[in-house]
Amino acid sequence: MQTKNKMFDDLSQLMTNAMGVAQGAKDEAQTAMSSLMERWLADRDLVTREEFDAVRAMAQKAREENEVLAARIAALEGKKKK
């Protein structure tokens, strides 16, 4: 009876160790894939979403300022013709 318990304990320990190894391999694979993707994206000179949004906001502000300036120029040209 005691031999069976020892066998089950050994089997249980083996399975626990195997799960630990599998978890470690999974974590290592995720880290490697993440690193690979970051390098791939960096090599393509892509921008981050934050950078894109910042440039988009700057462009919108520039458009609005251009509209205001165009209206002022039109107003000044209208006064000039009178």
Side-chain angles (χ1 to χ4, degrees):
M1 184 76 171
Q2 196 171 20
T3 305
K4 287 185 180 182
N5 286 340
K6 174 72 171 143
M7 186 177 72
F8 287 130
D9 287 345
D10 289 346
L11 184 60
S12 174
Q13 184 65 38
L14 180 66
M15 295 303 286
T16 301
N17 290 343
M19 291 301 291
V21 169
Q23 182 65 37
K26 174 187 167 252
D27 293 344
E28 188 174 330
Q30 283 180 328
T31 301
M33 184 57 81
S34 178
S35 177
L36 177 68
M37 288 301 297
E38 286 176 10
R39 271 184 284 152
W40 185 84
L41 290 171
D43 289 346
R44 269 115 195 106
D45 201 24
L46 300 174
V47 297
T48 64
R49 183 65 185 189
E50 292 81 18
E51 292 170 328
F52 175 80
D53 289 340
V55 171
R56 185 177 184 192
M58 288 177 6
Q60 180 63 34
K61 184 177 177 183
R63 275 189 223 102
E64 292 168 359
E65 290 173 356
N66 284 342
E67 291 173 5
V68 170
L69 292 173
R72 284 182 62 193
I73 290 171
L76 289 173
E77 288 176 347
K79 288 182 182 180
K80 188 177 179 184
K81 290 181 182 181
K82 288 182 181 182

